[in-house]
Structures are given as structure tokens and as C-alpha cells.
Amino acid sequence: MKTIYLLAALLSLPGTVLAQQAASRCPALPPDSGLQWDEQANAGFLACKARSDDGRHSLNMMLTTRDPDIRLTRSQRAESGLFSGESLHWYIPELAGRNEAYAASRRITVVKLGKDQYAQIWIDAETPEELGRLQSMASQLDVTAGTNYLVSGK
């Protein structure tokens, strides 16, 4: 439960909107995605929140040097997928509870990328179709710049 509070606190922090995505440590988004990153970085973590033109965040990622320690149980498991070349399982967040409409378009996962490098990815889609599109987009992201930032702090 403490992890959910930590996640909520991180999401509420103001992100820095970068004028040019090229300067971002967040992975490149497809040009036709209609999304751009809001980035927040601090010692040991990098938060990237993909924002649409209407300001809604739908694809979110946090790279961190600490294990997010989120308990994802087999009963929450939904689809399998990829993220930055790593295999994963998507999970229905606990917050979805028994609300089928919410569960149909929300997912979360944690991927170990390397020694002391983790990615926590969550999707808040409005529809199951958007969820599929965002999962596909997440599978193509390259987090090399972000993991380099975690190692170097720059």
C-alpha cells in the first residue's frame, strides 16, 4: 500500500515540460503519437509522463535505482509484452478492484533493466483500444538515455 502512496505522490509533483524532446532523457515517442513527455528527474529516479494535447497523462514510466517493491500477483496478470527489449507481464492495478470498465483499460508492470535499474510503467487509457496502442508503443521504447542518467546522475 505504501508503494501506491509513493506512486500517487510522484504523479502529483509538477513535471518539467521540455521544449524539445531531443533534449529529454525520456525515450523517443513516435512522431505521430500525439504525445509528448513531461519529465522529472532527481537523484535515483527519472519520471516520464506522456501527455496528450488536452493535458491527459496516459503512458507513464519511472526509471529508478530502487526496486519499486510493488506486489503484482498472478491473479492480477493480464497480457504479456515487451519493454525496451525486456519481456514482461502487464497487470491490472489493485486500484481497479472489481470495476471492469477501469480494469479493461489500465495496466501496470515493473521490469528489472539491470543492476539497480528498474522501470515501473503504468497505462491509464480511456478505452481497451487505446490500451492496446499504448502497450504497443511501450514495447518500442528505448530507455538507454534514461538508464544512462541513473548510472551517471547527469
Side-chain angles (χ1 to χ4, degrees), residues 40-110:
Q40 182 181 3
N42 206 332
F45 84 91
L46 170 66
C48 303
K49 298 180 271 184
R51 177 181 39 83
S52 60
D53 290 337
D54 65 2
R56 189 174 64 84
H57 290 106
S58 53
L59 174 62
N60 308 281
M61 173 187 74
M62 182 175 65
L63 301 177
T64 179
T65 57
R66 297 181 65 191
D67 184 344
D69 194 28
I70 296 176
R71 305 281 187 250
L72 300 172
T73 64
R74 191 169 193 75
S75 65
Q76 295 171 273
R77 190 178 284 180
E79 307 85 13
S80 58
L82 292 172
F83 178 76
S84 198
E86 300 291 330
S87 295
L88 60 81
H89 287 318
W90 289 103
Y91 295 83
I92 298 169
E94 279 184 19
L95 296 175
R98 295 178 187 226
N99 182 337
E100 290 184 34
Y102 183 92
S105 59
R106 306 310 198 276
R107 294 294 183 270
I108 189 168
T109 195
V110 174

Side-chain angles (χ1 to χ4, degrees), residues 62-68 111-113 116-120:
M62 182 175 65
L63 301 177
T64 179
T65 57
R66 297 181 65 191
D67 184 344
V111 178
K112 183 167 181 155
L113 299 170
D116 297 327
Q117 294 180 343
Y118 300 87
Q120 178 181 330

Side-chain angles (χ1 to χ4, degrees), residues 119-140:
Q120 178 181 330
I121 308 104
W122 61 102
I123 296 175
D124 293 321
E126 291 187 326
T127 64
E129 294 77 23
E130 183 185 24
L131 172 65
R133 183 177 65 82
L134 292 170
Q135 285 176 316
S136 177
M137 190 182 307
S139 74
Q140 300 170 36

